[in-house]
Amino acid sequence: MLEGTRALEIGNERLDTGLIKLRPSEILFDSSKGRPMDKVAAVMNELLNSFMAWVNGLALLVTMLSCRYVYDLLENFKRNYKIEEADFINTRMHPKGYTPEDSEESQYVNIVLRGYTIGLIKVLSIFLKIAMDVLYEEEDITTRSMDLNYFCTLSVEQVEGPLDEAISYLEKKPHVPFQREALLHLMLVKNLLKLSISMNERVDLFNARETLDVSHLHESVEILDELRTYQYVSLPESLFSRFVQVDCNNRHIPTSNVTLSSTEAIDILRGIVTSIQEVLLQIPNIQNEAQLILYLQHSIGEEMAHSASAIVRGFFQLFFIRDDKSICGLDETVGSLALRSMSSLCLVANSISDVDSWHIENTSDALTVRNDCFAKVSLLFDDIDSAFYQKLSVYGNNRCRQRQLLNRNLVLWDSLQYNAEVVEMHLSEYGIGDKLIQEGVPDQPCLAISSYIYYEKLCMMTEVVLTGFEQDTYRPSEAHMMYWYASELFAHTHQHLAGRLKEINSSKLKWINNMSKKIKKAKGPKKEALRSTQKRLVEEAVPILEENLAAIEQYLVPVSMTQYYLCRAVSMSVQLLEHFVKLPDTNSSLATPEKLYSLRMKPWSSIGTPELPPYERYKESNNIPETLAKYEGEALSRMLSKIITSVETKLDTVKKSVDTVMDNFEKDEKIKARYHFDDNRYMKKWQKEVVSTCDSYLKELEACRHFTGTEKHRLRSKKGHSRLFPIYYLQEV
Amino acid sequence: MKVEKLIGANLRVKVDDGRVLDGVLSVIDPFGNLLLANVYETSVDKLNESLFHTRELGLVSVPRNVIKTLMVDKKQYGRIGENQVS
């Protein structure tokens, strides 16, 4: 269908590339003809601009390929896929055996410019590979290749031959005008080619002793800064044309060529290089899994997804998770990272993951049961690996895709939670798995794996709900509802952290401490075995459990509480603002508010736990309109003022709560060791965003106090201090 | 012979500006406009007029008014004819 709509219509100038009018100079442009060095440098610069226009999202056909040097060279290469044959001599224009004249200008073109063009095309091919492997076609970048081969079959070493030849040729001509500019362009391409090496660099994650070599990127930035200062002469006439659209295999309609200014192109390339440099420098500094997740969520998933080029995101994805599912190419894998993640929350020294500690109870056929349990646990861990892989793969995508993928992951994690619960309950029947130790309560299975999965799922759910604001998914009249739902999810998160997750860790600590009693009672080799187990657990598990408890109590619980307060306060603020608006879209709606609620919440209705709050609960929690409807005149104003004051108090509570989190974060050494990364930038940013959001809403509420009730308003949103919290405000009609 | 019989046949269409299109007939409408798939366009090479240049265009619609001549592969035409008789 899509193909059909793109059918080329013969005889229609807008759709038929065969009818593109070209000047004779554009058709008969001779790429092999000698040119002075000033022209050659200008071509190099324009080719770079054109290349960056492609990186910026345009098609090759209207950028790089519109340059006759590139097209002729690739057409020649296509014949035998040999680098020696990739030259500028157009065999359709020149007789067989034709060789370019033996002049200096001819060498500038056929040695210098050829080397540069070949090198730049190879850089293009590296970018193309990144794009085709992990980026989205036409959304992130356009990879239509027009059936040409961009040296994808050649190694970087093969391509470096002509490039090095060009560099050494130019180095011998220091006095030629524009030699410096041309040489810098060649050096830039040579450095960029090393990106393919950087992409395959290996990092011993969490134990890196050395930083990665980024000298080529550093040098590239220096070259780009110098290139920014140069001016070039005009380009050879008709060099860039639409000839390629008329001549090559082309299933597309005619389009105008596009290029960028040198400044824009240099800015884009500089951005790419510095972002990649940042990735390569930061990853070895990450000390643990918690820091890695913070880095992925904030630096990659948020900052890079917003500001960096799609190529950088693609580079990161390929660099971070390799084909063999290893992380950064060495010992760490997706599976080991998943285990670390579980361990840093609740799965510490759990007997479920230690098969040797299994003592099968309540059965006569222990071996069969053991094998059956082992198979179930293995399968569960495989499923967790896959789900964790999906989670890690999200961050390198653009923000819209991130939300889509997270949404898809929710279904996966939801069914994973169910499976985990079934497996853990099954295992507990045979005495496998840890128990919760609570006074007065008989031993209950702690369900550490499903608790971890539930926590991850809740985090994903809140992220999906809140990123809906960033992507303008909700109507203004739905905003309070969605913030309320987010607050409900944060309440669940808080409850889960402060309840079950805290309990799992403290129970394990108690269990380890209680081992001393068992040791006293035991005799002989059993006593020794218990003693050595306790020693091992005290050395290995206890520090992690204490860290987990500190993280939950001092960091995760206060953060989830703050987020709960924030979402609740913002929801109430928006609902209050709605009071001053006549909302035609809700008031005159043909559907009942309950149906509208169900429709809006439909995407979350398929999640098993936590269940979607029923409409009645939503109405109960969001009763500002009902409350205000009971009053009129002076009484209404008094009630309004009372509600405004209560919302203002809630916003102030949020600000205080943020300060508490930050205090804990700075004071507690255990938390610092685990989460302090990149000068605590993420937390500082979070604090600033939350406080500024509260201040903005306090300002909006203050304005409400002065309304007389005769004004007409519309509810609008503007960019806020946080992408997830736009500021809703009243606009006078 | 009914024109629908030609659907799926390899056609060679010469259009009024001299280009020749080779492709598989996918659709024909009541006005004689054609939709050809897997089309290769052959024209006089702009770089060297003594040569022909061929390129792939993919899916192409050819309005009736630009069609000069239309040819069907001889063997295929024969087969279509036989099918019709039987």
Side-chain angles (χ1 to χ4, degrees):
Chain A
M1 190 66 185
L2 183 69
E3 197 66 23
T5 57
R6 286 183 177 176
L8 191 157
E9 186 184 317
I10 296 295
N12 182 339
E13 277 189 20
R14 287 185 178 181
L15 300 171
D16 184 357
T17 48
L19 298 182
I20 292 175
K21 288 188 180 69
L22 295 166
R23 283 177 283 137
S25 61
E26 288 175 331
I27 297 168
L28 299 170
F29 184 89
D30 185 0
S31 305
S32 62
K33 188 184 160 190
R35 311 261 173 197
M37 183 52 75
D38 55 355
K39 292 279 181 197
V40 169
V43 173
M44 287 173 160
N45 179 58
E46 193 57 26
L47 266 175
L48 185 68
N49 298 346
S50 196
F51 178 39
M52 284 303 112
W54 171 72
V55 169
N56 220 16
L58 293 156
L60 280 168
L61 199 63
V62 293
T63 53
M64 285 278 278
L65 287 177
S66 64
C67 175
R68 198 60 182 271
Y69 285 115
V70 176
Y71 182 57
D72 283 354
L73 196 124
L74 288 175
E75 276 288 301
N76 288 339
F77 178 69
K78 201 176 159 185
R79 261 181 274 134
N80 288 313
Y81 300 107
K82 285 183 182 162
I83 195 71
E84 307 80 53
E85 292 184 23
D87 57 27
F88 293 144
I89 302 165
N90 192 321
T91 49
R92 280 150 67 192
M93 271 168 72
H94 298 291
K96 206 176 176 185
Y98 170 85
T99 47
E101 56 184 273
D102 188 21
S103 67
E104 200 148 287
E105 287 195 351
S106 171
Q107 285 170 347
Y108 293 160
V109 169
N110 293 298
I111 295 175
V112 178
L113 189 55
R114 175 176 173 260
Y116 177 76
T117 314
I118 287 175
L120 195 64
I121 292 171
K122 185 63 195 173
V123 179
L124 167 78
S125 132
I126 296 170
F127 282 17
L128 261 177
K129 185 188 168 350
I130 294 174
M132 287 161 109
D133 281 356
V134 284
L135 298 180
Y136 287 94
E137 177 68 10
E138 292 198 359
E139 190 175 301
D140 290 324
I141 204 159
T142 308
T143 60
R144 295 196 302 257
S145 65
M146 315 315 296
D147 299 339
L148 294 165
N149 181 310
Y150 301 86
F151 306 145
C152 300
T153 45
L154 300 182
S155 66
V156 170
E157 290 74 31
Q158 283 174 290
V159 169
E160 273 181 330
L163 189 62
D164 288 339
E165 188 190 354
I167 291 170
S168 56
Y169 176 85
L170 260 193
E171 279 172 343
K172 288 177 204 149
K173 312 261 175 193
H175 304 298
V176 175
F178 286 88
Q179 178 262 9
R180 176 74 186 156
E181 287 87 329
L183 194 58
L184 282 176
H185 275 288
L186 288 167
M187 294 308 293
L188 176 69
V189 167
K190 193 166 168 60
N191 280 313
L192 290 177
L193 283 173
K194 290 181 186 155
L195 278 175
S196 60
I197 302 167
S198 296
M199 202 152 62
N200 294 313
E201 286 268 23
R202 292 166 173 211
V203 181
D204 190 6
L205 206 64
F206 312 141
N207 295 309
R209 287 188 194 93
E210 291 167 6
T211 51
L212 296 175
D213 178 21
V214 289
S215 55
H216 55 291
L217 297 171
H218 186 70
E219 206 175 306
S220 301
V221 172
E222 283 179 348
I223 293 173
L224 284 166
D225 288 341
E226 190 178 338
L227 282 174
R228 198 190 287 276
T229 61
Y230 293 126
Q231 299 290 321
Y232 300 90
V233 298
S234 62
L235 291 167
E237 196 200 342
S238 304
L239 167 61
F240 283 83
S241 71
R242 297 207 285 169
F243 176 78
V244 64
Q245 295 186 43
V246 183
D247 200 63
C248 75
N249 292 341
N250 187 1
R251 296 169 199 88
H252 306 280
I253 61 172
T255 327
S256 301
N257 288 341
V258 185
T259 187
L260 297 174
S261 70
S262 296
T263 321
E264 284 172 310
I266 288 175
D267 282 345
I268 293 171
L269 187 54
R270 200 180 186 284
I272 291 174
V273 173
T274 48
S275 300
I276 291 177
Q277 196 175 356
E278 227 167 78
V279 168
L280 296 175
L281 288 175
Q282 273 190 325
I283 285 188
N285 287 335
I286 296 171
Q287 296 298 314
N288 56 45
E289 170 278 333
Q291 290 182 6
L292 178 69
I293 297 294
L294 279 178
Y295 173 73
L296 291 174
Q297 282 173 342
H298 297 276
S299 285
I300 306 296
E302 234 184 280
E303 292 166 8
M304 191 190 283
H306 270 105
S307 53
S309 160
I311 288 295
V312 183
R313 287 191 282 105
F315 176 92
F316 172 78
Q317 290 190 59
L318 294 175
F319 175 78
F320 183 61
I321 307 179
R322 305 292 162 92
D323 291 343
D324 58 357
K325 285 202 176 178
S326 72
I327 305 291
C328 300
L330 278 177
D331 298 343
E332 207 66 48
T333 62
V334 173
S336 67
L337 215 53
L339 278 176
R340 277 176 188 270
S341 179
M342 287 192 273
S343 158
S344 67
L345 196 69
C346 57
L347 194 80
V348 186
N350 193 308
S351 61
I352 219 164
S353 47
D354 182 11
V355 186
D356 296 335
S357 70
W358 291 3
H359 302 292
I360 310 294
E361 299 164 3
N362 310 331
T363 178
S364 54
D365 191 3
L367 189 65
T368 315
V369 171
R370 187 190 178 86
N371 288 342
D372 175 52
C373 291
F374 181 71
K376 282 191 168 126
V377 171
S378 303
L379 197 65
L380 178 62
F381 276 102
D382 284 348
D383 289 347
I384 293 172
D385 280 7
S386 313
F388 205 75
Y389 174 74
Q390 299 297 333
K391 174 187 152 91
L392 293 178
S393 311
V394 167
Y395 302 107
N397 292 285
N398 63 53
R399 287 296 280 172
C400 292
R401 285 282 174 193
Q402 278 185 36
R403 186 166 190 265
Q404 187 202 30
L405 295 170
L406 276 175
N407 217 340
R408 202 182 293 166
N409 283 356
L410 278 180
V411 184
L412 189 72
W413 284 79
D414 193 43
S415 57
L416 190 61
Q417 188 193 346
Y418 173 76
N419 291 343
E421 266 173 28
V422 170
V423 171
E424 283 185 296
M425 289 306 287
H426 177 72
L427 264 61
S428 79
E429 285 171 22
Y430 300 105
I432 302 169
D434 291 354
K435 300 268 193 282
L436 289 180
I437 303 173
Q438 289 167 312
E439 272 180 39
V441 182
D443 282 356
Q444 275 181 15
C446 76
L447 304 180
I449 299 175
S450 29
S451 299
Y452 163 79
I453 296 168
Y454 180 50
Y455 173 74
E456 284 287 341
K457 191 176 74 178
L458 281 170
C459 294
M460 273 180 219
M461 286 177 80
T462 46
E463 181 136 16
V464 173
V465 174
L466 290 178
T467 45
F469 286 98
E470 181 188 355
Q471 286 155 28
D472 218 6
T473 313
Y474 314 124
R475 288 186 305 173
S477 57
E478 293 168 340
H480 79 268
M481 189 193 289
M482 298 319 294
Y483 277 124
W484 169 77
Y485 184 50
S487 76
E488 287 286 298
L489 293 173
F490 279 121
H492 282 294
T493 313
H494 175 265
Q495 195 186 18
H496 186 53
L497 282 163
R500 163 88 44 180
L501 291 174
K502 197 176 142 189
E503 206 57 56
I504 293 171
N505 286 291
S506 52
S507 292
K508 190 74 195 181
L509 265 182
K510 278 181 205 163
W511 185 80
I512 295 170
N513 290 334
N514 290 346
M515 277 185 87
S516 308
K517 289 177 196 166
K518 280 186 193 170
I519 294 169
K520 273 183 194 168
K521 284 179 195 167
K523 282 176 188 170
K526 199 179 173 191
K527 190 177 184 112
E528 275 312 301
L530 278 170
R531 201 171 271 162
S532 75
T533 310
Q534 193 199 28
K535 190 171 176 265
R536 181 175 54 85
L537 287 172
V538 167
E539 280 169 6
E540 291 169 11
V542 170
I544 303 174
L545 287 164
E546 283 171 350
E547 256 186 46
N548 285 357
L549 278 170
I552 290 172
E553 286 168 5
Q554 307 293 324
Y555 173 61
L556 297 173
V557 166
V559 166
S560 61
M561 202 60 207
T562 310
Q563 292 289 78
Y564 163 77
Y565 284 137
L566 177 66
C567 290
R568 192 76 191 100
V570 171
S571 167
M572 288 177 81
S573 304
V574 178
Q575 209 181 13
L576 202 56
L577 293 176
E578 277 179 34
H579 169 74
F580 297 95
V581 184
K582 291 273 174 250
L583 288 170
D585 50 348
T586 53
N587 291 347
S588 64
S589 178
L590 294 172
T592 61
E594 188 172 352
K595 286 220 166 83
L596 289 174
Y597 173 81
S598 306
L599 190 66
R600 179 67 271 172
M601 294 299 183
K602 202 171 188 309
W604 286 276
S605 60
S606 59
I607 304 289
T609 333
E611 263 183 19
L612 185 69
Y615 177 69
E616 290 70 31
R617 181 163 157 62
Y618 160 71
K619 279 309 283 177
E620 212 174 282
S621 308
N622 297 275
N623 57 1
I624 293 178
E626 281 74 21
T627 311
L628 291 174
K630 291 176 196 159
Y631 300 90
E632 272 180 11
E634 197 59 29
L636 176 65
S637 303
R638 272 200 305 277
M639 181 44 80
L640 208 51
S641 173
K642 201 176 156 191
I643 295 175
I644 291 175
T645 310
S646 95
V647 179
E648 283 172 343
T649 314
K650 281 197 162 53
L651 288 165
D652 283 330
T653 314
V654 177
K655 285 161 75 176
K656 280 178 200 149
S657 180
V658 174
D659 290 341
T660 315
V661 174
M662 291 307 286
D663 274 354
N664 292 347
F665 208 86
E666 291 299 332
K667 282 177 196 159
D668 197 304
E669 287 305 318
K670 287 194 186 89
I671 297 178
K672 246 182 165 179
R674 188 180 276 191
Y675 295 103
H676 219 281
F677 178 66
D678 199 6
D679 197 25
N680 203 14
R681 192 164 58 85
Y682 309 133
M683 284 303 284
K684 286 177 187 164
K685 191 175 159 236
W686 174 73
Q687 180 191 28
K688 202 177 154 195
E689 284 176 355
V690 173
V691 171
S692 309
T693 303
C694 290
D695 286 340
S696 297
Y697 274 106
L698 284 170
K699 216 170 124 191
E700 294 302 324
L701 292 176
E702 182 56 34
C704 289
R705 287 186 187 276
H706 305 293
F707 292 148
T708 57
T710 52
E711 306 94 341
K712 281 188 174 174
H713 293 108
R714 250 189 230 125
L715 188 63
R716 288 279 180 266
S717 67
K718 61 186 175 193
K719 202 177 157 199
H721 309 279
S722 156
R723 292 187 182 100
L724 309 182
F725 290 89
I727 304 301
Y728 286 87
Y729 67 101
L730 291 172
Q731 186 189 53
E732 227 169 290
V733 181
Chain B
M1 181 198 294
K2 281 187 178 170
V3 75
E4 299 94 279
K5 292 276 173 192
L6 289 172
I7 287 181
N10 285 320
L11 294 192
R12 171 164 289 181
V13 182
K14 192 171 179 185
V15 294
D16 56 3
D17 59 9
R19 285 179 287 166
V20 174
L21 307 169
D22 289 297
V24 181
L25 182 66
S26 295
V27 177
I28 180 163
D29 72 7
F31 310 104
N33 301 313
L34 312 176
L35 190 67
L36 301 178
N38 302 331
V39 172
Y40 282 82
E41 173 204 81
T42 306
S43 58
V44 174
D45 192 352
K46 290 184 171 65
L47 298 176
N48 186 341
E49 289 187 354
S50 63
L51 300 172
F52 284 107
H53 179 64
T54 301
R55 63 181 186 136
E56 194 185 341
L57 297 182
L59 191 69
V60 160
S61 81
V62 192
R64 169 71 186 86
N65 62 324
V66 301
I67 300 171
K68 276 281 171 201
T69 60
L70 198 145
M71 288 181 273
V72 188
D73 180 75
K74 202 171 181 178
K75 279 184 187 165
Q76 221 164 7
Y77 184 79
R79 277 203 293 273
I80 294 164
E82 282 165 24
N83 286 346
Q84 201 188 23
V85 173
S86 62

